[in-house]
Amino acid sequence: MTNKTLHANPSKSRTPRHRAREFALQGLYQWLLNNEDVTAISENIRQAHGFDKADAEHFNSLLYGAIKDAATLRAGLAPLIDRKISELSPVEHAVLLIGAFELQNHVEIPYRVVINEAVELTKSFGGIDGHKYVNGVLDKFAAKARATEIDAGKKS
């Protein structure tokens, strides 16, 4: 990674939390491809251009949490996908880990926001129709992880 990270859509205004997700995606991507130590990945990313505008606490939560819980998250995602997890693109795999982690561990963030953010990450960094796949998988995951929140939304 260079000191100046290029963004897929530089004109789009990004919130500190969205930036944290972008950097966490980069870290998870690096971890998936190289199986590097998470601390080394985090230190490298923290030096990237624009990290000072990211929500560092949320970045830490996503990067360290998704890696720590990767086996459990993958087990929860496996029945919802149409192929082996190892056959997913690294971007889709990383975004699904981030989205699933947020759905399970950040209940203060509405499930629709989590899914929308995952879709936006995939649109920016993934393949042509990857965002549709991520949307469908996380929608099913949310139905289990956030059933109470989803049911409450249907009643109002």
Side-chain angles (χ1 to χ4, degrees):
M1 182 184 299
T2 64
N3 284 341
K4 295 220 176 197
T5 302
L6 297 176
H7 296 284
N9 191 351
S11 65
K12 187 176 182 182
S13 65
R14 295 181 307 276
T15 65
R17 200 168 262 182
H18 182 80
R19 289 174 190 267
R21 289 181 184 98
E22 288 178 337
F23 286 116
L25 171 60
Q26 291 175 21
L28 280 165
Y29 184 90
Q30 192 172 345
W31 178 74
L32 288 169
L33 291 182
N34 302 323
N35 199 26
E36 288 183 42
D37 175 67
V38 66
T39 303
I41 292 170
S42 176
E43 288 173 6
N44 184 30
I45 288 175
R46 287 175 174 282
Q47 295 174 20
H49 175 72
F51 187 83
D52 60 319
K53 295 178 183 165
D55 180 338
E57 186 177 325
H58 199 62
F59 165 78
N60 281 337
S61 175
L62 296 178
L63 182 65
Y64 285 91
I67 289 174
K68 181 177 79 60
D69 295 349
T72 304
L73 296 170
R74 287 176 179 139
L77 291 165
L80 309 175
I81 61 175
D82 60 353
R83 61 193 98 155
K84 294 178 186 174
I85 289 182
S86 61
E87 295 174 2
L88 292 172
S89 81
V91 170
E92 290 172 358
H93 188 171
V95 171
L96 287 172
L97 289 174
I98 290 169
F101 181 81
E102 274 194 299
L103 286 167
Q104 284 190 335
N105 297 283
H106 286 279
V107 294
E108 74 281 6
I109 303 170
Y111 79 96
R112 290 177 193 223
V113 171
V114 172
I115 293 172
N116 184 60
E117 287 287 325
V119 166
E120 290 302 315
L121 284 174
T122 311
K123 282 181 180 178
S124 294
F125 298 100
I128 294 172
D129 284 333
H131 67 281
K132 294 175 186 176
Y133 187 76
V134 165
N135 185 47
V137 173
L138 288 180
D139 197 45
K140 293 175 197 169
F141 191 90
K144 294 180 181 183
R146 300 278 190 98
T148 305
E149 180 184 350
I150 292 169
D151 289 344
K154 290 178 183 175
K155 293 175 184 173
S156 52

